[in-house]
C-alpha cells in the first residue's frame, strides 16, 4: 500500500451536519482533475470542528477577480504554471502587495518544478509552502492543511486583538471622560474576546449594591458589548442571564469569582464601594487556566478604572453644587426668598445645549459657568436689586453697569469655565434683534451659551413665584417665549426649548424651591 491519495470503500457513515462556519479554500489550477482529487481527499477534514468549503477557479486572472471580492478565503492552493509560466507567482505577489492580504495562507503547487526552483520561490515570495504535485500525498496534504489553517486561525486572532488594542489606545487619549471610559471598556472587551474565545457575543455589566439581583428589578446596566450586545450598551439586562448562577456568585465572599455554565462564562467582581461588575461571554470554547486568569484580571482592573471615574464624577458633582451655592448666594441679592433659580436655569441650559446636538462635556461646562456668570450683582445695592417697584432709567443703568462687571471679574481668570462665564456675562443681556446691552450684538453674533441661558433663565423666572407676583403656568411661560421669539430670543432655540418642555419641567420639579 502506497502513501498516495486513499479512499475508503467501506459503507459511508451517517453524515453529521456541522453548524460551525467552514474554512474557505480556493483551488487555483487549470487541471480539472486536480480540483476533483483535492476536494475528495479533504472532504472529511475538520479543524476545531469547522469543515472546509471549496471554491474553484482555473487561471491567475480568475483568481485575482475572485479574491478581490472574497476577503474571507483562509487558504489558496495555487498552481504555478497556468495561462503563463509564472501565473501563480504573479497571483502570490498580487495578493501580498496589491490586495494587501497578509492573512490568507498561500501554498504553491507545480507539476513543472524546473520552471520555478523551490529555493528561489521560497526566498522571493511570501508563501507558506511550495509543493510538487507528484509529492503531495494524502498524508502530506492533510498535514499541510492543519499547519496552514492553524496559522490562519491564530493570525486572525492576533488581528482581532490588534483592532481591540487600537481602540483602547485611541480611547486612552480621552480616558478622563465618561464616554471615553466606556469606549476603553469596549475596546478591552473586544480584545479579550478575540484573543481567548471563539465567540463574538459578550457583554460587560454594572450594578449597585451587594444584594442579589433578579431579572425583575433590572439593576444591571450594559456598559460594553460585542456581537449581539454591541447595540445594547446603556440598556438594562433583561434576558440571556442565568440569574440563579449570578445570585450564587454574589453570595460568595471572594471579590473576584467566575464560573462557566452551559458554555457561557460568568465573571463577577465586587468593589469595596459596593458596586458589582459582571462579564458574560456566550458560547466560549474550553478555557485554559491562563485564559481564565486573564478574564478575571480584566474584570478586576476595568472595574477599578470605572470606580476611579465614578469618584471623579462625585468630585465634579460636589464642585458643581458648590458653584450652585455661590450662584444662589448671588441671586439672593435680587430676590427676597431662598430659590434654586440658578441651579434650575443652569440644568435646563445644559439640557437645551445637548438638544442642539452638543456633547455632555460642553453641557457640563455651561452648567458650571451659568452658576457664576452673574457675579457682577454683588456690586449692586441690596435695596435696589430687590426693589419690586418700577426702576428709573438711572437705576436700570446702575444695575446693568454693575452686572456687566461680571465679565471683567471673570475674564481675569484663565480657567476654561471662568472664560466661558465671562462670555456669558458679556452677552446675556443682548437681544436677538440687536437692541440689547451693552454692544447691541445681533443674531448669532451673540454667544450661543448666552442665548441659551437667556431663554432658560427667563422661563424659570416666569414659572417661579415672587413676593410681587404669582408664578405663571407652563402655557403662559411658553406663550411669553413664543411672543418674544425673534425679538429677545433666538427663534430656533425657542423652538427646541418648547419641543423639550417636558424634560425642562422635570428639572424644575427635581430642584423645586423650599416654601
Amino acid at each position: 500500500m502506497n502513501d498516495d491519495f486513499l479512499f475508503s470503500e467501506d459503507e459511508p457513515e451517517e453524515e453529521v451536519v456541522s453548524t460551525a462556519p467552514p474554512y474557505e479554500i480556493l483551488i487555483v489550477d487549470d487541471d480539472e482533475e486536480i480540483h476533483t482529487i483535492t476536494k475528495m481527499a479533504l472532504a472529511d477534514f475538520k479543524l476545531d470542528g469547522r469543515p472546509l468549503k471549496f471554491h474553484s477557479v482555473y487561471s491567475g486572472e480568475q483568481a485575482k477577480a475572485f479574491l478581490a471580492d472574497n476577503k474571507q478565503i483562509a487558504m489558496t492552493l495555487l498552481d504555478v504554471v497556468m495561462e503563463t509560466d509564472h501565473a501563480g507567482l504573479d497571483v502570490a505577489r498580487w495578493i501580498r502587495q496589491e490586495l494587501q492580504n497578509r492573512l490568507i495562507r498561500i501554498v504553491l503547487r507545480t507539476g513543472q518544478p524546473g520552471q520555478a526552483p523551490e529555493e528561489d520561490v521560497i526566498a522571493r515570495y511570501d508563501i507558506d509552502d511550495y509543493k510538487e504535485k507528484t509529492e503531495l500525498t494524502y498524508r502530506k496534504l492533510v498535514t499541510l492543511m492543519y499547519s496552514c489553517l492553524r496559522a490562519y486561525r491564530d493570525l486572525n486572532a492576533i488581528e482581532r486583538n490588534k483592532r481591540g488594542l487600537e481602540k483602547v489606545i485611541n480611547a486612552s487619549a480621552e480616558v478622563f471622560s465618561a464616554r471615553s471610559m466606556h469606549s476603553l471598556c469596549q475596546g478591552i472587551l473586544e480584545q479579550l474576546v478575540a484573543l481567548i474565545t471563539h465567540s463574538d457575543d459578550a457583554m460587560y455589566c454594572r450594578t449597585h449594591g451587594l444584594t442579589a439581583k433578579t431579572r425583575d428589578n433590572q439593576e444591571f446596566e450594559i456598559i460594553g458589548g460585542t456581537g449581539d450586545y454591541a447595540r445594547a450598551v446603556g440598556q438594562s439586562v433583561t434576558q440571556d442571564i442565568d440569574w440563579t448562577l449570578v445570585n450564587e456568585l454574589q453570595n460568595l465572599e471572594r471579590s473576584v469569582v467566575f464560573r462557566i455554565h452551559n458554555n457561557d462564562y460568568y465573571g463577577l467582581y465586587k468593589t469595596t464601594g459596593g458596586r458589582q461588575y459582571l462579564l458574560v461571554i456566550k458560547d466560549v470554547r474550553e478555557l485554559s487556566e491562563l485564559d481564565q486568569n486573564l478574564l478575571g484580571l480584566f474584570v478586576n482592573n476595568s472595574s477599578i478604572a470605572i470606580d476611579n471615574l465614578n469618584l471623579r464624577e462625585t468630585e465634579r458633582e460636589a464642585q458643581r453644587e458648590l458653584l450652585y451655592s455661590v450662584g444662589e448666594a448671588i441671586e439672593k441679592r435680587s430676590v427676597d426668598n431662598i430659590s434654586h433659580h440658578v441651579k434650575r436655569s443652569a440644568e435646563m441650559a445644559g439640557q437645551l445645549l445637548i438638544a442642539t446636538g452638543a456633547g455632555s462635556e460642553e453641557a457640563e461646562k455651561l452648567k458650571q459657568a451659568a452658576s457664576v456668570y452673574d457675579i457682577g450683582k454683588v456690586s449692586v445695592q441690596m435695596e435696589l436689586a430687590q426693589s419690586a417697584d418700577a426702576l428709573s432709567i438711572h437705576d436700570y443703568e446702575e444695575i446693568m453697569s454693575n452686572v456687566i462687571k461680571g465679565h471683567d471679574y471673570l475674564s481675569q481668570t484663565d480657567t476654561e469655565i471662568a472664560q466661558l462665564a465671562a462670555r456669558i456675562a458679556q452677552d446675556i443681556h443682548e437681544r436677538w434683534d440687536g437692541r440689547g446691552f451693552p454692544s447691541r450684538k445681533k443674531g448669532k453674533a451673540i454667544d450661543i451659551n448666552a442665548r441659551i441661558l437667556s431663554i432658560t433663565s427667563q422661563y424659570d423666572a416666569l414659572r417661579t413665584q415672587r413676593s410681587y407676583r404669582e408664578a405663571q403656568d407652563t402655557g403662559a411661560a411658553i406663550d411669553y417665549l413664543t411672543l418674544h421669539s425673534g425679538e429677545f430670543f433666538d427663534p430656533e432655540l425657542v423652538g427646541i426649548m418648547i419641543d423639550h418642555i417636558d424634560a425642562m419641567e422635570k428639572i424644575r420639579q427635581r430642584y423645586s424651591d423650599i416654601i
Side-chain angles (χ1 to χ4, degrees), residues 160 167 186 189-191 193-194 197-204 222 224-233 240 280-283:
R160 293 173 63 191
K167 190 169 185 178
Q186 183 82 7
L189 181 63
E190 291 177 1
Q191 180 185 358
V193 167
T197 77
H198 290 162
S199 171
D200 285 328
D201 301 330
M203 59 179 165
Y204 191 45
I222 300 175
T226 61
D228 290 343
Y229 303 105
R231 297 180 179 274
V233 175
D240 296 336
V280 179
I281 304 177
K282 310 295 287 188
D283 300 322

Side-chain angles (χ1 to χ4, degrees), residues 21-251:
Y23 288 105
E24 300 198 31
I25 311 298
L26 178 63
I27 305 174
V28 186
D29 203 297
D30 56 1
D31 186 345
E32 179 64 44
E33 186 177 357
I34 294 295
H35 291 261
T36 302
I37 293 174
T38 302
K39 292 176 183 178
M40 292 177 63
L42 298 174
D44 296 326
F45 180 92
K46 287 184 179 180
L47 176 63
D48 299 327
R50 298 175 61 179
L52 303 181
K53 179 180 178 181
F54 294 97
H55 304 275
S56 292
V57 296
Y58 300 90
S59 70
E61 291 304 313
Q62 290 179 7
K64 291 179 182 180
F66 185 88
L67 289 169
D69 295 332
N70 296 272
K71 309 297 185 185
Q72 77 284 2
I73 301 301
M75 177 179 176
T76 180
L77 297 167
L78 181 60
D79 189 12
V80 174
V81 181
M82 291 179 285
E83 66 266 43
T84 66
D85 291 346
H86 47 77
L89 300 178
D90 293 341
V91 173
R93 182 187 296 109
W94 176 86
I95 289 172
R96 299 304 192 206
Q97 295 182 4
E98 296 188 35
L99 190 60
Q100 292 291 305
N101 187 334
R102 303 293 177 183
L103 297 179
I104 185 174
R105 300 297 89 203
I106 302 174
V107 175
L108 291 176
R109 298 194 293 186
T110 183
Q112 305 175 43
Q115 291 292 113
E118 179 178 353
E119 183 177 350
D120 182 57
V121 170
I122 291 291
R124 293 176 57 191
Y125 296 88
D126 182 5
I127 62 175
D128 291 84
D129 212 335
Y130 182 44
K131 299 289 186 183
E132 295 182 27
K133 293 180 182 179
T134 55
E135 71 168 332
L136 196 55
T137 63
Y138 169 75
R139 288 194 178 92
K140 288 183 178 179
L141 180 60
V142 170
T143 300
L144 180 67
M145 299 304 292
Y146 274 120
S147 62
C148 288
L149 290 179
R150 281 173 177 156
Y152 174 79
R153 177 197 64 192
D154 295 342
L155 285 172
N156 260 289
I158 293 171
E159 182 65 22
R160 293 173 63 191
N161 179 51
K162 176 185 174 184
R163 290 196 299 268
L165 184 58
E166 286 174 349
K167 190 169 185 178
V168 173
I169 293 172
N170 290 334
S172 65
E174 299 177 0
V175 72
F176 294 112
S177 73
R179 188 164 41 187
S180 67
M181 181 58 76
H182 286 173
S183 180
L184 184 64
C185 253
Q186 183 82 7
I188 297 174
L189 181 63
E190 291 177 1
Q191 180 185 358
L192 279 172
V193 167
L195 183 62
I196 60 179
T197 77
H198 290 162
S199 171
D200 285 328
D201 301 330
M203 59 179 165
Y204 191 45
C205 314
R206 172 179 62 191
T207 189
H208 298 276
L210 292 175
T211 57
K213 305 298 175 188
T214 66
R215 184 182 310 169
D216 297 330
N217 56 21
Q218 300 180 8
E219 298 236 8
F220 279 101
E221 175 194 2
I222 300 175
I223 58 176
T226 61
D228 290 343
Y229 303 105
R231 297 180 179 274
V233 175
Q235 300 178 14
S236 296
V237 181
T238 58
Q239 57 186 0
D240 296 336
I241 290 287
D242 187 325
W243 295 103
T244 301
L245 177 60
V246 172
N247 289 343
E248 291 177 4
L249 296 177
Q250 289 175 317
N251 290 330

